[in-house]
Amino acid sequence: AAQLFLEARGTVSETATQVDLTHAMDLYRMAVDLDPTYADALVQLADACHRQYQLAVDPIWLDHGLSYAYRAVELGPDLPGAHLAAGRCELALHAYPEAIDRLQRTIELDPLNLDAYTSLAVAYEELGKTDQAQEIIDRAVRTRPEDWATYYDIGRFFYYERHDPERAIPYF
């Protein structure tokens, strides 16, 4: 199972195609078939489903991803990646209160997880709670003030990709 997991991880990159993701998902599924308690493989499978959704814009991928993430949370309730994967799928499904709960739990378990902060800020912003969203962004910066990647990721993923380049500039 570990060998299949590593092979799948090697298949997925920042520029992975749908074919790459499908191949990785097959490998993760085989790993889970060999070891049904392999929570990390379920987390990666959920993430791959989320990325498939981003490429194909077919909500069935979010349903699958959420199912895998929930199984991972059951197996590893203290596994930050499981909560993050579930929260990101819930966010994409517009289940904002559920996403907020999951993402807050991720931050409790892993206070340096920038993806959790930016996703949580998006959830608050989608609910019209812009002050809380900004508070989360400020908290992310306070947790890693010397890390240039924090500023870059906030500028890119939270502001620029959400069509607010003016607010992205100071972070860049």
Side-chain angles (χ1 to χ4, degrees):
Q3 182 63 35
L4 290 166
F5 177 86
L6 291 174
E7 186 178 340
R9 290 288 304 256
T11 302
V12 180
S13 68
E14 188 80 18
T15 59
T17 65
Q18 285 182 292
V19 171
D20 297 331
L21 290 169
T22 299
H23 179 62
M25 290 166 60
D26 289 341
L27 294 169
Y28 288 130
R29 276 192 215 97
M30 288 190 289
V32 171
D33 287 345
L34 289 172
D35 181 357
T37 65
Y38 203 161
D40 288 325
L42 288 164
V43 168
Q44 294 303 316
L45 190 51
D47 283 340
C49 287
H50 185 261
R51 289 185 61 190
Q52 279 282 31
Y53 165 74
Q54 290 173 319
L55 293 173
V57 193
D58 184 346
I60 192 72
W61 290 115
L62 293 176
D63 293 337
H64 290 307
L66 201 50
S67 171
Y68 294 128
Y70 286 163
R71 281 179 52 201
V73 168
E74 284 177 28
L75 292 168
D78 293 331
L79 187 61
H83 291 279
L84 179 62
R88 290 168 81 185
C89 288
E90 289 164 338
L91 181 60
L93 286 166
H94 307 284
Y96 302 121
E98 294 84 353
I100 287 170
D101 289 344
R102 290 280 179 202
L103 296 165
Q104 286 175 334
R105 180 67 178 142
T106 303
I107 292 168
E108 288 171 18
L109 295 168
D110 182 5
L112 298 178
N113 190 315
L114 184 59
D115 288 340
Y117 285 102
T118 55
S119 295
L120 181 58
V122 168
Y124 279 126
E125 194 161 276
E126 290 296 329
L127 287 174
K129 298 179 178 186
T130 55
D131 289 344
Q132 285 175 289
Q134 187 60 52
E135 188 177 304
I136 293 299
I137 292 299
D138 293 344
R139 185 172 160 204
V141 169
R142 284 193 312 273
T143 62
R144 299 171 77 167
E146 71 290 338
D147 182 15
W148 68 268
T150 298
Y151 298 96
Y152 176 80
D153 286 352
I154 289 169
R156 178 178 173 205
F157 297 113
F158 187 70
Y159 292 117
Y160 185 76
E161 288 188 5
R162 295 177 55 75
H163 309 290
D164 196 348
E166 290 301 315
R167 287 175 67 193
I169 290 170
Y171 289 93
F172 289 138

